[in-house]
């Protein structure tokens, strides 16, 4: 990969009244002049030589604007401020040597901005950001060799275009309910993020360099040097941070899910978020199936009511098949997939989930005679073009005892050693999950 030494810094501020808004914009101009010594500026799409007097005159009128963009430029370095009502989003590209010279001042500037008004912020290598977030094949060729791109995971867009599946990268910026979720060198989570991550969860995150309170939010530094992001150890820390927050479980865009065991799972109800973290005997984060300790955190972010419990034990069948049909002696879980976004018609995802659920050992005596059922809700076209032969080839060690194909969908009865699993492929219907979560006899 072609390397640069640029840093990419983002911060999002909100609830700035007119006077405070102008103050923060002027501070941005001062900091930007120190960092960049700008030679050009772009205001609302108009490019012109940098003129400090013109810029200050425009800032004086900001209260009359609802949507404004200002960009200051000097060669590869630039900083952009997007003003939208009482909200600011600042994005800055600076050379690492410039950053190191101004680091203490710049970092204090950023912390001062996010401390009281911050929604979210991060600092990272621009190379790392590009590697983890550029999905377009042609755009990646600007910084990565074709033979390297060929080895990366792929997916399709809704229009059928093949792109990189960035969901599988630890530094991928995904958005969940309008909030940016990612993993990188330095991150700030404002108080609004408590509706997903209780602050104590963030403060106790493991395998990071530091985690501390900053105003009403949390500041985290995952590793020491942003330019060393590609080192194996730093990539591991970045991945573990993402796993511990369950970012991929909360939001993914590849249509088939994470295809990895979770390190944490969530339950949301009104103003309450409940998380269950999976840990080993040393209280270290670990995959769900390997866990021996379970840390449950419950936080009501409106009442600021927080509780935590840690228990030792093992997971029962309900952790994998939570819906029980006593009448037909079946237990069920379901997945909603979009195989049309994959390049193999969803075969790899089907194989992963089938192997994952066939591996579940049913030790609960009351459920010993119950048949596990895994439902896949997929678009009808995926049923009509179902890759049965390809799936058979993908699971050679698993015996397919029975195949039924009807208008309602496809049913497979699978067996591996002493384990049985009924798998249903059902056309999606635009209903609530509660209506979809039923045992369908196919």
């Amino acid at each position: 990969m072609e390397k640069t030494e640029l840093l990419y810094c983002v911060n999002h501020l909100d609830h700035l009244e007119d006077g405070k808004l102008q103050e923060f914009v002027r501070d941005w101009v001062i900091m930007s002049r120190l960092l960049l010594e700008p030679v050009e500026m772009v205001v609302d799409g108009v490019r012109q030589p940098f003129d400090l007097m013109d810029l200050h005159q425009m800032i004086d009128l900001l209260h009359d604007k609802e949507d404004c963009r200002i960009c200051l430029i000097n060669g590869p370095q630039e900083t952009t401020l997007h003003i939208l009502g009482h909200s600011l989003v600042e994005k800055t590209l600076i050379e690492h040597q410039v950053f190191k010279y101004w680091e203490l001042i710049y970092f204090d500037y950023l912390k001062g901005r996010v401390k009281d008004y911050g929604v979210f912020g991060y600092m990272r290598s621009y190379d790392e950001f590009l590697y983890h977030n550029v999905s377009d094949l042609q755009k990646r060729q600007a910084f990565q060799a074709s033979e390297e791109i060929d080895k990366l995971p792929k997916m399709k867009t809704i229009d059928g275009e093949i792109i990189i599946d960035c969901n599988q990268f630890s530094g991928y910026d995904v958005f969940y309910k309008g909030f940016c979720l990612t993993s990188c060198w330095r991150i700030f989570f404002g108080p609004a993020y408590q509706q997903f991550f209780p602050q104590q969860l963030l403060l106790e995150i493991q395998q990071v360099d530091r985690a501390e309170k900053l105003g009403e939010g949390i500041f985290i530094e995952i590793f020491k040097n942003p330019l060393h992001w590609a080192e194996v150890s730093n990539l591991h820390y970045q991945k573990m941070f993402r796993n511990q927050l369950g970012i991929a479980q909360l939001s993914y865009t590849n249509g088939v899910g994470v295809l990895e065991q979770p390190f944490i799972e969530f339950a949301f109800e009104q103003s309450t978020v409940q998380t269950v973290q999976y840990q080993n005997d040393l209280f270290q984060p670990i995959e769900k199936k390997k866990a021996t300790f379970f840390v449950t955190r419950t936080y009501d972010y409106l009442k600021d009511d927080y509780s935590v419990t840690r228990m030792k034990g093992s997971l029962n069948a309900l952790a994998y098949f939570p819906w029980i049909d006593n009448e037909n002696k079946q237990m069920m879980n379901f997945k909603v997939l979009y195989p049309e976004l994959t390049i193999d018609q969803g075969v790899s995802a089907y194989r992963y989930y089938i192997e994952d659920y066939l591996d579940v050992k049913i030790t609960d005596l009351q459920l010993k005679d119950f048949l596990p059922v895994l439902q896949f809700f997929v678009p009808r076209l995926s049923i009509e073009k179902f890759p049965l032969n390809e799936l058979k080839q993908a699971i050679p060690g698993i015996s397919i005892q029975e195949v039924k194909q009807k208008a309602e969908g496809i049913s497979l009865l699978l067996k591996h050693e002493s384990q049985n699993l009924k798998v249903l492929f059902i056309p999606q219907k635009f209903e609530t999950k509660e209506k979809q979560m039923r045992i369908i006899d196919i």
Side-chain angles (χ1 to χ4, degrees), residues 63-82:
H63 61 275
D64 295 328
K65 288 183 174 286
E66 294 184 355
D67 191 345
C68 174
R69 292 178 188 268
I70 310 169
C71 180
L72 306 181
I73 305 167
N74 184 355
Q77 300 185 111
E78 64 178 52
T79 180
T80 301
L81 196 66
H82 183 193

Side-chain angles (χ1 to χ4, degrees), residues 354-362 371-372 395-401 413-421:
I354 286 171
E355 291 177 347
D356 192 42
Y357 281 87
L358 264 173
D359 190 47
V360 175
K361 307 300 181 186
I362 309 301
L371 176 64
I395 53 173
I398 298 172
S399 171
I400 300 180
Q401 303 283 308
L413 183 60
L414 307 179
K415 185 178 181 64
H416 179 64
E417 297 177 350
S418 61
Q419 299 286 105
N420 293 316
L421 179 68

Side-chain angles (χ1 to χ4, degrees), residues 185-248:
W185 176 43
R186 287 175 173 171
I187 311 172
F188 172 79
F189 293 103
Y193 277 79
Q194 291 188 72
Q195 59 189 285
F196 316 119
F197 312 127
Q199 283 197 348
Q200 203 59 35
L201 185 155
L202 294 172
L203 288 171
E204 294 178 13
I205 207 82
Q206 297 187 41
Q207 299 189 25
V208 300
D209 195 62
R210 56 175 164 157
E212 58 194 33
K213 288 204 70 172
L214 180 59
E216 295 300 313
I218 302 295
F219 169 75
I220 293 169
E221 182 174 287
I222 297 181
F223 46 82
K224 284 289 187 185
N225 191 323
L227 298 186
H228 295 168
W229 66 271
E231 291 183 359
V232 174
S233 58
N234 288 338
L235 286 172
H236 166 75
Y237 296 139
Q238 199 172 357
K239 178 71 171 177
M240 283 302 298
F241 180 80
R242 189 180 191 87
N243 286 342
Q244 288 179 80
L245 292 191
I247 290 174

